[in-house]
Amino acid sequence: MSAALALSERTRGRTAPNPNVGCVLVKESRVVGRGWTQPGGRPHAEAMALSQAGEKSRGATCYVTLEPCAHASPRGPACADLLIAAGVARVVIALGDPDPRTNGQGVARLRTAGIHVVEGGAEAPARAAMAGFLTRRAKGRPFVTLKLATSLDGRIALASGESRWITGLEARAHAHLERARHEAILVGRRTAEIDRPKLDVRLPGLESRSPRRLILSSAGDLSRPSDIADLEGVDHLLVEGGAETAAAFLCEGLVDRLLLYRAPILIGAGKAALGDLGLADLASAHGRWRLTDTRMLGSDRLEVYASS
Ligand SMILES: NC(=O)c1ccc[n+]([C@@H]2O[C@H](COP(=O)([O-])OP(=O)(O)OC[C@H]3O[C@@H](n4cnc5c(N)ncnc54)[C@H](OP(=O)(O)O)[C@@H]3O)[C@@H](O)[C@H]2O)c1
């Protein structure tokens, strides 16, 4: 299942409105097929793995990160039917599909056909891998990651507005990889004007994965953070500041994940990472963020937090 989850990451940010699913077919202790949802949402992971395995699918075990779909669409057949037709013996599923067209019906159809189905076991990592799809289903908006690059004293720019560069090459390359995993990227109007950021992916081989660019401005197309719910085809949104924009998303409870790149420099008087959050007391600031990952990127430290 770990291998299937890793495969699902390949098209994170490229499959909306479909989930980025991963699938591995194993027969006699050998991997005979691997699949992941293709850009645009089709073919599905199971279809790709089955076509790779061909006749070797018969009697194989299928590890899949989301319940196989039970609904046929004009773009392809139901994966539950494909698995049955291929003669798969066993299907291990990390997470049920909340889509009402499947939600339990994929499992039921497999079991009716005599396939041994095992559910659960890797639910938490599967939820993390498909957070965009699941957030869109549960909350009707994209999964939002807020990225901040700060000095040790929590500044994002000098008082003059200069902010290039706070972090080093490795941290910036990591931030570009994050961009490649999002359908859209957003900055505030002042950041757009002051920094004129390209907001693209400048990593060799990933240039084509630059996300759609958006600017938050009361006078623009996106005039309120809550408007992100209406962004069609966007299940992952990366917010890259500045301070007022970041605070606006936080105040509305719209940040699911925080990426904090901290450089070993001190700025002193400069621009604080965040505008006013409207906190009534310190107690209400506690318990909101849970550290999920931390690592060094060159001389900078990355900390990843999930909203609790
Ligand atoms: N180190 C880093 O990670 C980093 C990242 C980004 C930026 N920066 C720095 O941050 C500075 C800019 O930050 P900033 O705080 O001054 O400005 P900002 O957040 O980039 O932009 C502020 C503008 O965004 C719009 N906006 C913000 N909240 C809104 C809301 N709730 N509804 C509608 N529109 C909203 C408004 O545009 P309108 O006035 O048009 O309505 C507002 O004037 C620059 O110096 C930049 O270099 C640093």
Side-chain angles (χ1 to χ4, degrees), residues 147-151 155-164 166-167 187-195 197 215-220 222-225 240-249 252 261 271-275:
K147 176 226 152 187
L148 295 169
T150 78
S151 60
R155 304 287 169 188
I156 58 166
L158 300 187
S160 65
E162 182 186 343
S163 67
R164 284 193 177 135
I166 288 185
T167 50
V187 291
R189 198 255 313 153
R190 271 204 298 277
T191 294
E193 284 180 6
I194 296 171
D195 294 355
I215 295 174
L216 182 69
S217 165
S218 51
L222 206 94
S223 61
R224 294 169 307 175
E240 287 208 11
E244 191 182 328
T245 298
F249 274 85
E252 299 212 17
Y261 299 90
K271 184 135 191 98
L274 296 174

Side-chain angles (χ1 to χ4, degrees), residues 1 4 21-27 30 32-33 35 45-47 49-50 56-57 59-68 79-80 82-84 86-94 110 115-119:
M1 189 59 84
V21 177
C23 177
V24 174
L25 287 167
V26 176
K27 189 171 183 183
R30 299 181 83 103
V32 294
E46 300 93 317
L50 287 169
K56 292 182 187 141
S57 307
T61 294
C62 167
Y63 294 88
V64 64
T65 61
L66 191 72
E67 178 182 1
C79 290
L82 286 179
L83 289 163
I84 294 165
V88 163
R90 191 167 158 254
V91 179
V92 184
I93 301 167
L110 294 171
I115 294 177
H116 181 56
V117 179
V118 181
E119 291 176 88

